[in-house]
Amino acid sequence: MKLHSKLAGAMALSLGIAVLAGGCGNNSGIQLSTEKTNVVASFYPLYDFASKIGGDRIHAVSAVPAGVEPHDWEPKTRDISQILKADVFAYQGAGLEGWVDDLLKSRKDKNSLITVEASAGLDLIEAEDHGEEGHEDEHKDDHEGEEGHDHDHGDFDPHAWLSPMNAKKMAEAVKNGLAEADPANKAEYEANFAKLSTSFDELDRKYRDTLSKLPKKDIVVSHKAFAYLCRDYGLNQVAIMGLTPDSEPTAQDMKNINNFIKEHQVKYIFFEELVSDKLAKTLANDLKIETLVLNPLEGLTDAQLKAGEDYFSTMEKNLQNLVKALQ
């Protein structure tokens, strides 16, 4: 699915090139430090992991601004320049960031920037057609010729961070990158990662113990982002939209989802906060059921960051809403 370039342009114009820095939004773009190890993460989860592992030793920023869906974001010239000047650049890979290949090819000194592809080595899930059978083919032609990068995720689903065990491996990759860039503080990074690793283990155990006891296993979601979570904990997702949340379902998709909800007595439709909830709420209203948030953690809003939310608190809230829906 290709990026809707007009939508992306409008969002970029209205939101500017704000960036997460020091745990909150910053509307002055990617700012690097002259005193600390600079770590640029492509999007929020990697920023959060880097911040927890690096602590005061690093200056971490997220390329994608607070409140912006990463599928809709591409770097401007100055963003690229700043990323290439950093000490470490951590990105997800697996097709999430359509702009990364061009950025890495533009490096003049390939030894000056340590790159961390966080999804490398993970047991990735192969991407399926967006939505129900035939959905992707029907809309493919609609997006041919649009400007910007192709945001079709390709062969794999990139949303691996929604599995706490995958997230732990991703954080370890970030830790290794920090240790390579700043070997003098390797022991501190190792110690911080050890604490973080324990938190991932506890989160995984809580998800496993809680969800295994619930009678229902089917979730209906607006964005097909939860395959890894479902694989880990024995759930089944039915998605209104595909791997990119700007993909649109066909009339047949909507009919199939409608029938699924009725047949399986689904009581809630999950939506996310960084994209429009109109379709999910319209479907819920038609079926006289309710909606709940299931956050794919592709980014947090400024308000969430200022309130101290992070990967773990958001995953805890996701679990609470899953419990409510699967009773």
Side-chain angles (χ1 to χ4, degrees):
M1 181 67 64
K2 296 200 174 199
L3 176 69
H4 289 293
S5 56
K6 292 182 179 179
L7 174 61
M11 292 183 71
L13 183 62
S14 62
L15 292 168
I17 53 173
V19 65
L20 298 175
C24 61
N26 184 323
N27 61 11
S28 58
I30 297 173
Q31 300 291 327
L32 301 182
S33 170
T34 58
E35 300 176 353
K36 298 182 179 182
T37 299
N38 287 293
V39 181
V40 176
S42 64
F43 75 132
Y44 176 74
L46 295 178
Y47 161 81
D48 190 35
F49 303 160
S51 298
K52 288 179 168 64
I53 296 166
D56 292 337
R57 300 294 184 182
I58 70 168
H59 174 72
V61 294
S62 173
V64 177
V68 175
E69 217 285 337
H71 298 283
D72 292 331
W73 187 85
E74 291 187 15
K76 298 183 184 299
T77 301
R78 186 181 181 282
D79 297 324
I80 294 173
S81 175
Q82 292 294 88
I83 291 171
L84 294 176
K85 291 176 184 177
D87 299 296
V88 179
F89 172 53
Y91 65 100
Q92 179 65 4
L96 180 68
E97 307 96 340
W99 46 271
V100 164
D101 286 347
D102 288 342
L103 180 143
L104 296 180
K105 288 176 183 177
S106 71
R107 289 181 295 171
K108 294 180 180 180
D109 181 359
K110 298 190 182 299
N111 296 320
S112 64
L113 176 66
I114 293 170
T115 59
V116 175
E117 183 179 5
S119 66
L122 298 182
D123 182 12
L124 297 175
I125 294 173
E126 291 188 9
E128 299 175 355
D129 287 348
H130 301 327
E132 300 297 325
E133 185 177 355
H135 182 146
E136 184 175 11
D137 292 338
E138 180 170 332
H139 288 285
K140 185 175 181 181
D141 294 340
D142 294 342
H143 302 285
E144 294 297 331
E146 287 184 354
E147 296 178 358
H149 293 281
D150 186 346
H151 282 247
D152 184 346
H153 288 307
D155 295 334
F156 298 103
D157 181 339
H159 303 88
W161 60 90
L162 289 164
S163 155
M165 291 295 93
N166 276 340
K168 181 168 76 167
K169 293 176 181 178
M170 291 165 53
E172 184 176 15
V174 172
K175 179 264 295 180
N176 292 339
L178 296 184
E180 183 180 353
D182 181 22
N185 290 304
K186 179 179 179 179
E188 185 171 338
Y189 300 145
E190 293 281 2
N192 289 342
F193 171 71
K195 295 177 184 177
L196 191 61
S197 179
T198 299
S199 296
F200 285 121
D201 290 340
E202 291 174 351
L203 181 65
D204 171 66
R205 186 162 45 251
K206 187 170 184 179
Y207 260 78
R208 197 171 301 279
D209 291 347
T210 302
L211 294 178
S212 66
K213 299 172 184 176
L214 299 177
K216 295 183 178 181
K217 303 299 178 184
D218 297 308
I219 59 173
V220 176
V221 298
S222 62
H223 176 194
K224 193 177 183 179
F226 300 94
Y228 292 94
L229 186 148
C230 289
R231 182 178 71 180
D232 282 6
Y233 307 115
L235 304 181
N236 171 53
Q237 72 169 342
V238 174
I240 298 173
M241 294 172 281
L243 289 175
T244 55
D246 59 356
S247 57
E248 297 175 359
T250 66
Q252 185 61 45
D253 292 334
M254 295 300 292
K255 181 179 179 180
N256 290 343
I257 293 168
N258 191 307
N259 290 338
F260 181 90
I261 289 171
K262 292 178 179 177
E263 290 172 9
H264 292 80
Q265 298 182 322
V266 173
K267 300 300 182 184
Y268 294 91
I269 296 176
F270 288 108
F271 69 96
E272 60 184 273
E273 296 157 303
L274 297 185
V275 297
S276 173
D277 61 0
K278 183 177 179 180
L279 195 55
K281 289 194 172 181
T282 297
L283 181 58
N285 288 336
D286 289 345
L287 293 169
K288 294 180 172 54
I289 61 177
E290 298 183 58
T291 58
L292 283 172
V293 171
L294 195 63
N295 194 325
L297 266 160
E298 293 174 342
L300 297 184
T301 65
D302 273 323
Q304 289 169 325
L305 292 166
K306 290 174 182 176
E309 300 290 344
D310 67 356
Y311 174 89
F312 293 97
S313 66
T314 304
M315 286 292 286
E316 290 277 0
K317 289 182 178 180
N318 279 349
L319 181 57
Q320 293 170 12
N321 284 346
L322 284 168
V323 169
K324 187 174 183 179
L326 297 173
Q327 294 284 1

